[in-house]
C-alpha cells in the first residue's frame, strides 16, 4: 500500500490522460488497476479492469486535457478504521504467541503439546474459511450467501 | 511530548517479526516524524516493509526467510 498523496495522485492522473491522448489507456489502466478495482465514469457507468482494457486501447485519442482546482478528498474514517484493525491484529497475534502461549509453556512444559495442537488446529481452520471469504469477496457476493453461513443460519 | 509515566520502556523482540514496546509515548522515525503511541503495547515494524510504518502490519510473514528480521535487526526508529 503506497501513501496516496496529492502529488502521487496527480502524477497518476496526468499519466492516465497522456495515455488516453495516445490511445493507450487500456494498457495504462490495465497495469495500474488491481483485479477488483472499478472505474466509475461521470455518467455513472462502471467498468471493471477487463472492460477498461477492452474499451480504452485503440479508442479515439483525446486532443488535449487540462486539470484545474485539484484536491484530495481522502477516504475519511473508513480507512482509519481499517488501518486500526490491521495494526491491532499485528499486536494481538504477537501477544498471543509471546505473552500467552510462550508464557504458559514456560510455566508448565507439560502443556507444550496441547498448545501446539491448539495453534495448528486454529491455523488449519483459518485457511479454508479465509479461502471461502476471499472467493465471495472477489465475486462481489455477500458473506451471508456463503453455504457455510446458510447452514449455520438455517 | 513528554513521557506518559516514569516507568521504563520495555522492548520485546519477536524473532522474524516486529518488536513489542510498552511504556513509550512516541516513536520517532528516521525522517524525524513523531508518531504517538496510542495503545498499551504497540508492535513496531522491523522488516521495513510495513505499509503502516512504523507500526507492524504483518507484512514480514510474506517475506522470504532471509529477508525477515533476525533477533538482532534493529527497528529504524527512536523510542521516547
Amino acid at each position: 500500500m503506497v501513501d496516496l498523496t496529492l502529488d502521487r495522485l496527480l502524477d497518476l492522473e496526468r499519466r492516465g490522460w497522456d495515455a488516453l491522448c495516445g490511445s493507450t489507456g487500456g494498457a495504462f489502466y490495465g497495469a495500474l488497476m488491481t483485479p477488483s478495482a472499478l472505474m466509475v465514469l461521470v455518467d455513472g457507468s462502471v467498468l471493471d479492469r477487463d472492460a477498461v482494457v477492452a474499451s480504452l486501447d485503440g479508442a479515439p485519442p483525446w486532443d488535449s486535457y487540462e486539470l484545474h482546482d485539484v484536491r484530495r478528498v481522502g477516504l475519511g474514517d473508513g480507512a482509519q478504521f481499517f488501518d486500526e484493525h490491521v495494526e491491532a491484529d499485528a499486536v494481538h497475534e504477537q501477544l498471543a504467541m509471546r505473552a500467552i502461549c510462550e508464557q504458559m509453556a514456560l510455566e508448565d512444559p507439560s502443556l507444550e503439546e496441547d498448545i501446539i495442537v491448539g495453534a495448528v488446529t486454529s491455523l488449519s481452520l483459518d485457511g479454508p474459511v479465509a479461502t471461502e471469504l476471499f472467493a465471495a469477496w472477489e465475486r462481489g457476493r455477500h458473506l451471508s450467501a456463503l453455504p457455510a453461513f446458510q447452514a449455520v443460519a438455517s | 511530548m513528554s513521557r506518559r509515566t516514569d516507568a521504563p520502556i520495555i522492548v520485546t523482540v519477536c524473532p522474524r517479526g516486529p518488536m513489542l514496546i510498552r511504556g513509550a509515548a512516541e516513536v520517532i522515525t528516521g525522517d524525524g516524524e513523531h508518531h504517538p503511541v496510542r495503545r498499551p503495547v504497540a508492535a513496531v515494524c522491523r522488516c521495513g516493509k510495513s505499509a503502516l510504518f512504523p507500526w507492524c502490519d504483518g507484512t514480514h510473514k510474506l517475506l522470504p526467510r532471509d529477508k525477515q528480521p533476525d533477533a538482532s535487526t534493529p527497528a529504524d526508529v527512536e523510542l521516547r
Side-chain angles (χ1 to χ4, degrees):
Chain A
M1 196 164 31
V2 178
D3 202 25
L4 288 176
T5 59
L6 181 58
D7 282 348
R8 181 165 161 74
L9 286 170
L10 258 181
D11 174 53
L12 290 172
E13 189 66 21
R14 289 207 182 88
R15 282 159 55 196
W17 280 102
D18 289 342
L20 292 172
C21 291
S23 293
T24 56
F28 176 79
Y29 285 107
L32 179 68
M33 291 170 75
T34 59
S36 57
L38 298 172
M39 181 180 285
V40 182
L41 306 183
V42 282
D43 67 352
S45 55
V46 178
L47 305 176
D48 65 12
R49 185 169 70 175
D50 291 344
V52 167
V53 171
S55 62
L56 289 185
D57 267 346
W62 291 71
D63 291 331
S64 64
Y65 67 91
E66 287 181 41
L67 302 175
H68 289 294
D69 303 320
V70 183
R71 71 191 171 102
R72 181 181 183 279
V73 179
L75 291 174
D77 293 343
Q80 180 56 40
F81 179 81
F82 178 75
D83 280 355
E84 164 58 24
H85 276 262
V86 172
E87 194 184 317
D89 284 350
V91 179
H92 293 145
E93 175 183 301
Q94 296 298 334
L95 286 178
M97 280 194 289
R98 316 284 154 204
I100 301 174
C101 296
E102 192 180 293
Q103 205 54 40
M104 270 180 80
L106 285 173
E107 284 177 23
D108 185 351
S110 74
L111 290 175
E112 223 171 76
E113 287 175 347
D114 290 345
I115 293 170
I116 290 171
V117 169
V120 170
T121 305
S122 147
L123 291 173
S124 308
L125 289 174
D126 274 357
V129 170
T131 304
E132 276 221 47
L133 292 181
F134 267 115
W137 183 44
E138 281 176 351
R139 275 183 262 120
R141 293 176 63 199
H142 195 270
L143 300 185
S144 64
L146 289 176
F149 184 93
Q150 300 268 311
V152 175
S154 61
Chain B
M1 186 191 269
S2 60
R3 288 280 306 283
R4 211 184 285 164
T5 65
D6 292 332
I9 298 175
I10 299 169
V11 174
T12 311
V13 171
C14 306
R16 293 192 298 277
M19 67 182 194
L20 303 179
I21 58 168
R22 291 175 170 82
E26 57 182 4
V27 170
I28 306 169
T29 40
D31 54 8
E33 273 209 45
H34 292 229
H35 303 265
V37 178
R38 304 189 313 270
R39 54 181 75 249
V41 188
V44 174
C45 170
R46 289 197 307 132
C47 75
K49 298 280 186 275
S50 173
L52 295 176
F53 195 84
W55 315 119
C56 169
D57 70 351
T59 298
H60 59 269
K61 286 180 285 188
L62 303 176
L63 300 176
R65 278 257 168 153
D66 62 325
K67 294 281 193 300
Q68 292 177 334
D70 62 28
S72 61
T73 309
D76 188 19
V77 297
E78 185 190 331
L79 306 177
R80 198 175 282 175

